[in-house]
Amino acid sequence: MVAVRPWSFPASAMPVAVTLAYLYWAGHDVNWVNGLWALVNIVVFHAAGNTWSDYQDYKKGVDAQDTFGVHTLTSGMFAPGEIRRLSLWLLAVALLGGVGLLWRTGLPLLYVGVGGLLCTVLYPALKYRAWGDAVIFMAYALLPTVGTAYVALLQVDWTVLYLAVPVGLITVAILHANNTRDMQTDSRVHIATLAMKLGGRVSIGLYCFEIGVPYVWVLVCVLLGIFPWWALLCWLSVVAAVGNMRVALGYGQNGSAGIARLDELTAKLQLMFSLLLVVSFALAGGLG
């Protein structure tokens, strides 16, 4: 449980949960078994991705004793071989679950599954070349929403992409907070994350953009009739978002230490924002 970093699981679980709640509100006949299966499976995929990324970061020297964040390998808590084996076992379980869900649904799910597998395996290498943010948006926004809609309905409902933007941006902000904090230590091993390309001030601005836009997006979708008025419940989490922005804006004065836990705080914001959306769609659907 320590090695897989469960605090980060809202990034993968919430897109699926929000999509299922949205489909229920939209009046679809949702296959809840398939939907819950997809929810569990993407979390296992996420756990495999976390451990694989940690192993690759340690192997490349990105994670060291003086870096922030994960210390499962740098502290000697686990041996590199243990983390690698755990990652491969988790990936095998996720693939087995994916094959079972493919058997229950149909061939279109294969494309989503292959996309998710490639994102998991290739993420470390792409992150080192400033593509990590794009991969995360693909893996934890676009693919989960479309894939969940397919397994729940046995057809694709492209309107779920309206959900991918707000939920996905906050998820990307988790990674961006991590990479902004680690810019100095990452530079020692000659990698190039998006945060390093942009620099500290612009990166902090981008982080605030990523957690601020979702609220505006939901408001616009409500005004356009795409989401129910109940969706404005997600604005109850705006206080936490503003708190995160204040932490982020302290980077100029406090440096990396000041945003050491910003990735974890952003994951908590993701959980709060998305759960409120789930509740709002459930209430709107239940009340007609």
Side-chain angles (χ1 to χ4, degrees), residues 20-36:
L20 290 173
Y22 169 82
L23 295 174
Y24 167 72
W25 164 73
H28 292 292
D29 184 14
V30 177
N31 187 316
W32 294 103
V33 173
N34 287 353
L36 294 175

Side-chain angles (χ1 to χ4, degrees), residues 102-268:
L102 176 67
W103 177 77
R104 287 178 57 89
T105 56
L107 187 61
L109 185 63
L110 179 62
Y111 305 116
V112 176
V114 170
L117 175 62
L118 290 175
C119 288
T120 299
V121 175
L122 298 179
Y123 169 71
L126 292 172
K127 181 183 73 170
Y128 303 152
R129 293 167 175 81
W131 285 99
D133 299 61
V135 173
I136 291 299
F137 191 78
M138 175 67 72
Y140 297 122
L142 300 180
L143 291 177
T145 52
V146 173
T148 300
Y150 176 73
V151 300
L153 306 178
L154 298 185
Q155 64 183 31
V156 175
D157 182 345
W158 295 108
T159 65
V160 297
L161 291 178
Y162 287 115
L163 303 169
V165 174
V167 176
L169 282 177
I170 299 179
T171 299
V172 172
I174 300 172
L175 170 71
H176 193 64
N178 181 291
N179 288 344
T180 302
R181 178 196 65 197
D182 294 343
M183 284 192 297
Q184 291 182 343
T185 52
D186 285 348
S187 65
R188 299 183 308 200
V189 290
H190 308 293
I191 65 174
T193 63
L194 180 61
M196 295 170 68
K197 293 281 190 181
L198 297 176
R201 179 176 296 181
V202 178
S203 290
I204 292 301
L206 178 59
Y207 172 84
C208 293
F209 174 86
E210 289 170 340
I211 66 171
V213 165
Y215 296 93
V216 178
W217 182 275
V218 170
L219 175 60
V220 171
C221 285
V222 167
L223 293 176
L224 293 177
I226 298 170
F227 293 165
W229 284 97
W230 281 102
L232 294 178
L233 280 175
C234 73
W235 273 76
L236 293 176
S237 65
V238 76
V239 175
V242 171
N244 282 14
M245 289 182 186
R246 288 177 176 172
V247 172
L249 292 171
Y251 175 78
Q253 181 178 356
N254 303 317
S256 297
I259 59 171
R261 294 183 57 248
L262 187 57
D263 55 349
E264 184 178 345
L265 292 174
T266 310
K268 291 178 179 179

Side-chain angles (χ1 to χ4, degrees), residues 47-71:
N50 280 349
T51 48
W52 181 251
S53 179
D54 290 345
Y55 172 73
Q56 293 295 328
D57 283 349
Y58 180 79
K59 184 179 177 182
K60 192 173 179 63
V62 175
D63 287 342
Q65 290 186 348
D66 63 338
T67 55
F68 294 99
V70 180
H71 290 110

